């Protein structure tokens, strides 16, 4: 697998043209490659930016963006608010102040649809027929310092590689094993793109194993990419907390 970070011009909040930046920075896309795009520039493309000077209380902005939240006192040292948004357990509803030039950059709305828009535009511009797109973000992992990449939305490939009902090395039939392809791609891409002043909000991945460009989500039982709460192994930890309802997102 080859992962290449792509430098672009600076995309400036509150709104900028992501597609032109992609086309200007990438001369060609090979067939059966995957383009990773960091969610920050997708949000700027969508205009999901709020001037920090207009926000009196960031916690109130977080509550508006979150689907549900825990009051700040539940976080260690009160550094963040724990929230749920779009099926993710994420600090501060994904709101980001870094590399934002005086704005709060919100998570993009409907990132899966935006991944499909980017994919369709790139397929037309570059003349390719098999292309995957992943909208990435950085995510913290419990009991680990640092961040890893995660997919907020994907298009053009199946997000899971299903091993169920296949034998392991010793002939034992696997019952629950599935490989998370979308988040694995996002993690590799975020590692290449960096988190600071690199100005590489894109990554191009080729030769990626387990990517099925022909199919989407499985129709097999328990084959959906997102896990409903009643199937989630970690639900007891989350549901025992005193969540409060948020507003689910600003309309900008």
């Amino acid at each position: 697998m080859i992962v290449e970070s792509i430098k672009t011009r600076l995309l400036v909040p509150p709104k900028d043209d992501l597609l032109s930046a992609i086309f200007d920075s990438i001369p060609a896309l090979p067939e059966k490659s995957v383009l990773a795009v960091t969610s920050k520039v997708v949000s700027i493309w969508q205009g999901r930016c709020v001037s920090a000077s207009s926000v009196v209380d960031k916690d109130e902005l977080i509550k508006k963006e979150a689907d549900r939240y825990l009051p700040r006192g539940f976080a260690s040292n009160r550094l963040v608010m724990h929230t749920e948004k779009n099926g993710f357990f994420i600090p501060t509803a994904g709101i980001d102040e870094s590399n934002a030039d005086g704005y709060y950059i919100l998570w993009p709305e409907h990132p899966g649809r935006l991944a499909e828009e980017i994919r369709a535009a790139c397929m037309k511009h570059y003349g390719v027929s098999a292309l995957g797109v992943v909208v990435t973000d950085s995510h913290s992992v419990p009991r680990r310092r640092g961040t890893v990449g995660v997919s907020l939305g994907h298009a053009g490939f199946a997000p899971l590689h299903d091993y169920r009902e296949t034998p392991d090395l010793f002939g034992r039939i696997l019952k629950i094993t599935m490989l998370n392809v979308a988040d694995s791609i996002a993690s590799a891409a975020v590692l290449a793109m960096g988190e600071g002043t690199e100005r590489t909000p894109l990554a191009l991945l080729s030769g990626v194993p387990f990517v099925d460009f022909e199919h989407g989500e499985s129709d097999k039982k328990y084959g959906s990419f997102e896990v409903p709460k009643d199937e989630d192994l970690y639900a007891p930890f989350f549901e025992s907390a005193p969540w409060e309802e948020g507003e689910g997102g600003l309309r900008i």
Side-chain angles (χ1 to χ4, degrees), residues 212-250:
D212 180 358
F213 292 99
E214 301 298 323
H215 301 94
E217 289 204 7
S218 170
D219 57 2
K220 291 170 65 176
K221 188 176 183 180
Y222 307 122
S224 64
F225 186 49
E226 295 184 1
V227 180
K229 287 181 182 177
D230 60 358
E231 295 175 22
D232 191 350
L233 293 173
Y234 303 103
F237 298 99
F238 294 118
E239 297 312 304
S240 62
W243 293 96
E244 299 185 26
E245 293 298 315
E247 296 183 25
L250 297 175

Side-chain angles (χ1 to χ4, degrees), residues 162-169 171-177:
D162 195 346
Y163 281 98
R164 291 175 299 170
E165 305 306 323
T166 66
D168 70 7
L169 288 172
R172 180 179 179 273
I173 299 302
L174 299 170
K175 297 298 183 183
I176 62 173
T177 303

Side-chain angles (χ1 to χ4, degrees), residues 157-164 174 176-185 208-211 223-225:
F157 64 95
L160 297 170
H161 180 74
D162 195 346
Y163 281 98
R164 291 175 299 170
L174 299 170
I176 62 173
T177 303
M178 289 186 279
L179 177 65
N180 182 333
V181 177
D183 286 335
S184 297
I185 289 171
V208 185
F210 303 111
V211 176
S224 64
F225 186 49

Side-chain angles (χ1 to χ4, degrees), residues 28-93:
L29 287 179
E31 289 282 358
K32 296 188 175 181
S33 59
V34 180
L35 178 65
V37 187
T38 185
S39 62
K40 183 168 293 180
V41 296
V42 174
S43 292
I44 293 171
W45 178 41
Q46 202 177 27
R48 295 272 296 158
C49 304
V50 176
S51 173
S53 63
S54 70
V55 176
V56 176
D57 185 347
K58 184 182 177 182
D59 284 7
E60 293 304 312
L61 178 63
I62 293 169
K63 293 175 186 179
K64 288 183 171 65
E65 273 294 288
D67 295 328
R68 60 180 188 166
Y69 65 91
L70 294 174
R72 187 174 286 272
F74 282 87
S76 175
N77 299 321
R78 301 176 59 89
L79 291 177
V80 300
M81 286 180 68
H82 291 305
T83 65
E84 276 194 3
K85 185 172 178 65
N86 298 345
F88 285 89
F89 178 64
I90 184 76
T92 66

